[in-house]
Amino acid sequence: MNTVRSPHHRSFFSPGACRRAVAALALSLAPGTGAATPATVIAIDLNQPGKAISADLFGIFFEDINYAADGGLYAELIQNRSFEYQATEQSTWNSLTMWELVTRGDGKGAFIAEAADPVHPDNPHYAVLHVSQPGAGVGLMNAGFDGIAIKAGERYDVSLFAKQLYVGARWGAVPATPEIKPGALLVRLESQTGENLGEALVNWPATDWTRLTATITANRTDEAARFVVLSTIKGGLALDVISLFPQKTFRGRGNGLRADLAQVLADMKPRFIRFPGGCVAHGNGLGNMYRWKDTIGPIEQRKEQANLWHHHQTVGLGYFEYFQFCEDIGAKPLPVVPAGVCCQNSGQTNGAGQRGLPLEQMPDYIQEVLDLIEYANGPATSTWGAKRAAAGHTEPFHLEYLGVGNEDHITPVFQKRFQMIHDAVKAKHPEITVIGTVGPSPAGPDFEAGWKIADEQNVAMVDEHYYEKPEWFLNNLHRYDGYDRAKSKIYLGEYAAHDDGRKMTLRSALAEAAYMTHLERNGDLVRLASYAPLLARIGHTQWNPDLVYFTNTEIFPTINYQVQRLFGVNSGDTWLTAMVSDPAQAADFAVSSVRDSRTGDLILKLVNAGAAAKPLHIEIDGARELPAHAVTTVLAGDDPMAVNDFANPQTVLPQTASIAVGPSFDYEAPAHSLTVIRIQHR
Ligand code: AHR
């Protein structure tokens, strides 16, 4: 295990810069006060070699928690489209949950769930609609996730699988005749009072499962519409995978992502995306582990399953879509596969606690992990690369990182399976960085045992997790300074400052910002870091705080999101020593200076978590040429307990301004603030 052995290391301090800083300290006063409050001096010598840090440092953690996938990032508008909801997910759920019978005019009918002869064996349930009297139509209605938000003039793609069971009376029925085929099914968007918001006709299906499609153009904007499929034929009909997508998905992808939410994530400029969890990755019992092969291919063939956060995974957002999203936003994929064990918090219904796959199943499981690498990186002629190509992506996805395990309890059962997977991946794919796991806390038995394995097996990188109070983060701004650089690299895979009441306060965001300056300083060791969790649907949230809250029509990025975004947008690849004169090295003040080699820009991040404004005097030595002005972005508020909540989503927002800069300039960091100063220097 690593221990923190030394304070903030200063190996790049140059004596010249030190002397200048002290001299400047003597001369500097708080700007505008004329009083004897000395300014803190920050001195940066651009002649220093700097320290190479990870260019992938800041990324995002995506887990399907809080309806982050279905009902969230995944743009599907129908809830329980495949009739696979189960009581094990929520006690009131069954296959027909979220669907209602609708009868129009003097129509009469009923619907039930069936499982014989399904669309695909991995998608076992479907609905059967019996229409005994068509009237003006009999069918099914779905209100999506808290209603279906549609926009006037936009187009929505409907697809569904249907099968004619009988035509006419239920008993002694006859097959459909060709003349009743066209337009026998109507798909429609309706308001809550039944007004027609757009509709299309769909042909009557064959006696085998048939995929039917249509496009509806919304004639009005409605935040909470409903979707209806109506039959006007007396008879029986099987229906499954009833899907409705906006055509305007992120980058216009089929089976795509909600454009506005995906854009909010893209705006963070994440260097990587971790998926699919979190606890979802290792699952609630062995049967609930996230198995990547179940999540690719046509959506009707994917194996849906319960989500241990008590909702449902259609896995419509599956491995292909995750890889594609990464590529679309320039982030590296970081999948996490189970280490052959399920979550130690698995419930009684699934067998309590952590359990391991039987050892005789491990060879197949290991092959499954190796196949994932082939799916991502193999040529289109390889078995799994061909499946990627069949999904429309001939080129590889350039997988570099692979997490094995998620904060597992470090037991002999875990260790055995982890070692088998780790060794197999390392042997066959030395180019892949395998990321091990060291438990759910920043210290303790799992942390120590996980590190012991990492040391013994020479694991390339380990995944640390911690959710702590803001004070913890401010008191641990030197955690990684003393880590042994010869050991495993660090992926800080889950972290968040949890303030009182688990609120997303300015105070918590600034504690994270201060901590992120320390991650940058240690970016030679800490290669990756991601806040967790990411998304939360309002009204369906199992975990607080999260980075971004949303409804069907609105998105509420927290102050913590703004911090993550500012670090993502302003990341660098060389860390430069910034000498800070403040001898107290106050825990509520943190500085980081990095250079971005793509632009040459010098980026200064200043976190003042204190209650008083902080006068600063900044000295930049060794610049070839400095511009007269630089852009500052400031995230600040008077009240450290401020939150960007749903009533006041814009309490604390970044403000940009231009300030005069040069080899020597003053700046006052406001109370409770993060400031980013970006100075062009080519
Ligand atoms: O981020 C939420 C949860 O916290 C993750 O699923 C789990 O890994 C951790 O305990």
Side-chain angles (χ1 to χ4, degrees):
M1 186 193 70
N2 273 294
T3 48
V4 177
R5 285 201 300 264
S6 67
H8 183 170
H9 71 132
R10 295 161 182 263
S11 51
F12 297 105
F13 278 19
S14 81
C18 202
R19 269 196 304 280
R20 280 190 298 279
V22 174
L25 170 62
L27 295 174
S28 296
L29 299 176
T33 65
T37 306
T40 296
V41 179
I42 298 172
I44 302 161
D45 184 350
L46 295 184
N47 286 322
Q48 65 180 285
K51 175 171 58 169
I53 59 171
S54 171
D56 296 339
L57 185 53
F58 298 121
I60 57 180
F61 162 101
F62 184 91
E63 175 172 25
D64 186 11
I65 182 172
N66 311 316
Y67 282 64
D70 294 294
L73 187 60
Y74 185 48
E76 173 64 77
L77 293 167
I78 302 293
Q79 184 167 190
N80 192 17
R81 70 180 176 196
S82 295
F83 303 93
E84 298 299 336
Y85 274 21
Q86 312 160 33
T88 50
E89 297 164 324
Q90 292 190 18
S91 57
T92 56
W93 280 7
N94 60 47
S95 297
L96 299 177
T97 297
M98 304 297 161
W99 293 96
E100 277 177 37
L101 182 75
V102 285
T103 52
R104 297 285 150 83
D106 59 354
K108 289 195 176 72
F111 77 116
I112 57 169
E114 285 283 3
D117 191 20
V119 171
H120 189 273
D122 285 339
N123 184 2
H125 299 101
Y126 58 89
V128 170
L129 178 68
H130 295 289
V131 180
S132 50
Q133 184 172 301
V138 176
L140 302 182
M141 190 199 77
N142 188 291
F145 297 87
D146 307 325
I148 297 172
I150 55 169
K151 284 196 187 140
E154 295 201 354
R155 290 157 67 82
Y156 296 85
D157 288 334
V158 179
S159 75
L160 57 92
F161 282 79
K163 178 166 67 165
Q164 176 205 131
L165 299 176
Y166 63 93
V167 169
R170 186 166 178 185
W171 313 115
V174 292
T177 54
E179 55 275 17
I180 63 166
K181 276 189 170 180
L185 283 177
L186 180 73
V187 288
R188 174 188 273 184
L189 290 166
E190 292 185 353
S191 70
Q192 290 186 35
T193 52
E195 294 156 290
N196 177 6
L197 304 180
E199 63 184 20
L201 291 173
V202 178
N203 286 348
W204 185 252
T207 50
D208 290 331
W209 283 108
T210 317
R211 183 166 183 265
L212 306 170
T213 60
T215 297
I216 301 175
T217 303
N219 59 32
R220 204 175 85 187
T221 294
D222 193 308
E223 292 195 355
R226 310 172 316 177
F227 172 82
V228 173
V229 52
L230 286 174
S231 170
T232 52
I233 302 290
K234 181 173 177 173
L237 195 61
L239 294 161
D240 203 359
V241 200
I242 304 176
S243 169
L244 177 73
F245 266 87
Q247 285 190 350
K248 284 192 178 166
T249 56
F250 188 67
R251 301 279 162 91
R253 300 283 184 202
N255 193 42
L257 306 183
R258 192 176 135 178
D260 55 352
L261 262 183
Q263 189 58 52
V264 165
L265 303 184
D267 289 346
M268 296 169 75
K269 296 266 181 296
R271 295 299 189 276
F272 67 90
I273 303 179
R274 174 205 181 116
F275 56 87
C279 288
V280 159
H282 56 182
N284 183 16
L286 288 175
N288 189 241
M289 295 192 319
Y290 197 100
R291 309 293 286 261
W292 75 270
K293 289 183 182 176
D294 293 340
T295 75
I296 60 166
I299 57 170
E300 71 278 8
Q301 296 178 17
R302 298 188 188 185
K303 201 169 184 174
E304 307 199 359
Q305 67 169 349
N307 181 314
L308 84 180
W309 297 108
H310 302 292
H311 41 103
H312 182 82
Q313 305 180 74
T314 64
V315 295
L317 170 51
Y319 258 74
F320 181 82
E321 290 75 23
Y322 282 123
F323 279 131
Q324 188 172 62
F325 183 45
C326 289
E327 185 174 79
D328 279 346
I329 67 170
K332 293 182 179 174
L334 197 171
V336 176
V337 296
V341 298
C342 61
C343 182
Q344 56 267 27
N345 301 318
S346 292
Q348 298 294 336
T349 52
N350 299 289
Q354 180 191 75
R355 282 174 304 138
L357 286 172
L359 285 176
E360 62 272 18
Q361 289 181 22
M362 282 304 291
D364 283 351
Y365 182 68
I366 290 166
Q367 189 57 48
E368 183 177 320
V369 175
L370 297 174
D371 290 345
L372 172 61
I373 298 169
E374 184 174 289
Y375 181 75
N377 291 353
T381 48
S382 62
T383 308
W384 290 96
K387 293 190 192 295
R388 180 193 70 235
H393 203 282
T394 321
E395 293 303 309
F397 280 121
H398 307 294
L399 181 68
E400 288 178 32
Y401 300 113
L402 180 69
V404 178
N406 173 64
E407 61 172 52
D408 298 283
H409 191 26
I410 310 293
T411 59
V413 170
F414 164 84
Q415 182 165 1
K416 173 93 183 150
R417 287 155 185 77
F418 173 81
Q419 183 163 2
M420 292 169 84
I421 302 165
H422 174 258
D423 292 353
V425 173
K426 236 174 119 176
K428 182 147 191 211
H429 291 287
E431 75 284 5
I432 298 288
T433 300
V434 176
I435 306 174
T437 182
V438 294
S441 312
D446 286 325
F447 182 80
E448 290 181 15
W451 264 107
K452 187 162 178 288
I453 293 174
D455 290 346
E456 286 167 2
Q457 293 184 28
N458 202 13
V459 177
M461 202 182 286
V462 297
D463 181 11
E464 293 195 354
H465 291 182
Y466 31 88
Y467 299 93
E468 300 286 343
K469 291 264 182 214
E471 308 83 89
W472 183 95
F473 285 89
L474 293 176
N475 290 331
N476 283 274
L477 294 180
H478 301 287
R479 176 180 174 89
Y480 293 118
D481 293 350
Y483 266 47
D484 184 345
R485 267 49 188 173
K487 293 186 173 192
S488 311
K489 303 287 183 226
I490 308 292
Y491 167 32
L492 176 51
E494 296 185 23
Y495 71 97
H498 283 184
D499 210 334
D500 302 341
R502 289 202 165 200
K503 290 208 172 113
M504 302 73 77
T505 58
L506 174 59
R507 181 169 75 172
S508 69
L510 293 178
E512 288 154 6
Y515 202 73
M516 291 168 85
T517 64
H518 138 265
L519 298 180
E520 281 190 330
R521 187 172 71 245
N522 286 283
D524 57 323
L525 168 81
V526 183
R527 309 302 294 175
L528 310 162
S530 46
Y531 178 103
L534 183 63
L535 295 179
R537 183 180 178 86
I538 294 170
H540 301 273
T541 297
Q542 298 90 41
W543 181 290
N544 283 303
D546 304 287
L547 215 51
V548 177
Y549 290 77
F550 63 91
T551 65
N552 284 341
T553 52
E554 288 182 286
I555 298 179
F556 302 94
T558 58
I559 305 172
N560 313 64
Y561 165 88
Q562 301 297 352
V563 165
Q564 294 290 326
R565 190 179 67 78
L566 286 175
F567 274 77
V569 168
N570 293 293
S571 61
D573 46 22
T574 304
W575 179 81
L576 302 171
T577 298
M579 288 191 52
V580 180
S581 65
D582 185 345
Q585 286 277 304
D588 56 8
F589 182 64
V591 179
S592 171
S593 71
V594 295
R595 185 166 44 220
D596 174 13
S597 65
R598 289 167 309 174
T599 59
D601 292 358
L602 168 67
I603 303 160
L604 261 177
K605 302 188 185 83
L606 310 164
V607 181
N608 178 15
K614 197 164 181 78
L616 302 172
H617 179 76
I618 298 166
E619 295 264 315
I620 300 174
D621 282 350
R624 285 186 298 282
E625 193 184 340
L626 285 177
H629 292 90
V631 175
T632 59
T633 310
V634 182
L635 190 66
D638 295 335
D639 178 6
M641 301 310 286
V643 292
N644 284 356
D645 62 14
F646 323 130
N648 299 296
Q650 305 197 341
T651 311
V652 180
L653 285 183
Q655 309 290 338
T656 55
S658 174
I659 61 163
V661 295
S664 174
F665 63 97
D666 293 327
Y667 175 74
E668 186 173 83
H672 312 300
S673 69
L674 161 66
T675 301
V676 180
I677 306 178
R678 190 165 188 124
I679 303 174
Q680 287 183 354
H681 180 245
R682 293 183 202 289

